Amino acid sequence: MRLNRTPLVLALFLSLFVALCIVPGISPAYGASKEMIQLQTQVDQLQQQLTQMKQSFDERMGVMKSLLDQNTDAANKVTAAINGLQASINKQQQDRSGQVDQISGQIQALNDTMDELKVRLAKLSKQFEDMQTAQQSMAAQQAQAQQQAQAIASAPAPDVLYNNALRDYNGGNNDLAIQEFNDYIKFYPNTDLAGNAYFYLAEIQYKAGDYQRAVTNYDLVLQNFPSGNKAASAELKKGFALIELGKQDDGEQELKHVIQRYPRSNEANQARERLRKLGPAAPKSH
């Protein structure tokens, strides 16, 4: 608020004039007049107004200062609250970031565990499948063994079955002989006569011109019964069958092996004769 300074200056001038008039030893040229008294009265009133104005100004300034202090305190409190809130927000964000990292780590660990469980489950499934396959195989083997046991129990005696097959073979009943030799191999695969049965089956196939199947059965004699009484004949006839199949080199090797292994046998003589007809010189007997 701006104040009018003119009354203040006038009041100061009048106060100075009055003071000079009342100084001891100095007498005014004129006596105090009524106007001077009125003027003095106005000066006093102005001084009172100035005092009141100054007091009111001071009071207002005090109120304003108090309000300013209050506003400052409030602002400081608001600032502190904002700072605290910001710090809380930052902390929450950090905590959330830490929680997110922790949760991400937990999720990754769960994924790793899940992958490991999948691998274990796959292994267990494979083991279970293998066990089922083994169980089914064992069940099939047991069923087959039971069938074989039942068949053997109902089958003719080995000597009877073999003699019947050999009789039919010699009699030219090849179909019946084939069935009987196969039955003998089926029921009695581990006997010495089983090698003979394979040999006679091969002989029937050789005579029928089925040289490839004949070679297979001759091989079964040589592989499963290498010391049987049909081994030399099986190797000789295998060589003949290979030659008939156009595999002359392989057939000659089989015949040469017969001569080397059984040099004084009838099969060795037959091998030499066949080799002689083929051209190369046959090994001599000792």
Side-chain angles (χ1 to χ4, degrees):
M1 180 178 64
R2 299 185 61 182
L3 300 177
N4 190 355
R5 296 183 179 181
T6 301
L8 180 59
V9 173
L10 181 58
L12 290 174
F13 177 77
L14 291 176
S15 298
L16 180 60
F17 178 77
V18 171
L20 290 175
C21 291
I22 63 175
V23 172
I26 300 177
S27 299
Y30 301 97
S33 63
K34 182 178 179 179
E35 289 79 4
M36 288 296 296
I37 293 173
Q38 292 178 350
L39 183 60
Q40 182 64 39
T41 301
Q42 292 177 357
V43 169
D44 292 338
Q45 291 176 353
L46 287 173
Q47 287 179 344
Q48 290 178 358
Q49 291 177 359
L50 286 173
T51 301
Q52 292 175 355
M53 290 175 62
K54 182 177 181 303
Q55 183 177 0
S56 176
F57 179 78
D58 291 340
E59 290 177 354
R60 291 182 180 180
M61 285 298 294
V63 172
M64 292 180 64
K65 185 176 183 303
S66 177
L67 292 175
L68 181 60
D69 291 339
Q70 292 177 2
N71 291 334
T72 301
D73 292 340
N76 291 335
K77 291 180 180 179
V78 171
T79 301
I82 292 174
N83 292 335
L85 181 60
Q86 185 64 44
S88 177
I89 292 173
N90 293 337
K91 186 176 183 304
Q92 290 179 359
Q93 290 179 345
Q94 292 176 355
D95 293 341
R96 288 178 182 177
S97 177
Q99 291 176 354
V100 170
D101 293 340
Q102 183 179 3
I103 293 173
S104 299
Q106 292 175 349
I107 292 174
Q108 184 62 42
L110 290 175
N111 288 332
D112 294 341
T113 303
M114 182 63 68
D115 293 338
E116 183 178 356
L117 289 176
K118 288 180 179 178
V119 173
R120 292 183 179 179
L121 181 61
K123 290 182 179 179
L124 291 175
S125 297
K126 182 63 170 58
Q127 292 177 356
F128 181 72
E129 291 176 359
D130 292 342
M131 290 177 63
Q132 282 186 325
T133 302
Q135 185 177 8
Q136 292 173 357
S137 178
M138 290 178 61
Q141 290 176 359
Q142 290 177 354
Q144 184 178 2
Q146 290 176 356
Q147 291 176 358
Q148 289 178 351
Q150 293 174 357
I152 291 174
S154 61
D159 292 342
V160 174
L161 183 58
Y162 179 79
N163 290 331
N164 290 339
L166 186 60
R167 182 195 62 214
D168 290 326
Y169 170 76
N170 292 327
N173 297 322
N174 290 335
D175 292 340
L176 185 57
I178 290 173
Q179 180 180 351
E180 290 169 336
F181 282 128
N182 281 324
D183 286 342
Y184 187 91
I185 293 170
K186 176 181 178 181
F187 297 136
Y188 312 107
N190 298 320
T191 63
D192 292 336
L193 291 177
N196 292 20
Y198 280 119
F199 176 78
Y200 287 118
L201 286 172
E203 288 289 275
I204 294 172
Q205 293 159 352
Y206 183 90
K207 292 176 182 179
D210 192 355
Y211 300 114
Q212 188 60 58
R213 293 179 65 188
V215 167
T216 300
N217 279 316
Y218 288 135
D219 272 335
L220 289 174
V221 176
L222 297 172
Q223 292 172 6
N224 297 328
F225 307 92
S227 60
N229 60 358
K230 295 297 182 182
S233 297
E235 190 163 11
L236 175 69
K237 297 303 291 288
K238 177 184 176 183
F240 289 172
L242 289 171
I243 293 171
E244 295 295 335
L245 288 170
K247 301 177 180 180
Q248 183 171 332
D249 292 340
D250 293 338
E252 290 180 357
Q253 290 297 323
E254 293 293 336
L255 297 179
K256 291 177 182 179
H257 189 265
V258 171
I259 296 171
Q260 292 172 356
R261 187 171 183 182
Y262 314 100
R264 298 184 183 275
S265 65
N266 183 48
E267 287 82 5
N269 293 332
Q270 293 182 57
R272 291 189 189 94
E273 180 64 21
R274 188 61 180 268
L275 288 172
R276 186 186 64 79
K277 291 180 180 180
L278 292 173
K284 297 181 180 180
S285 61
H286 300 286

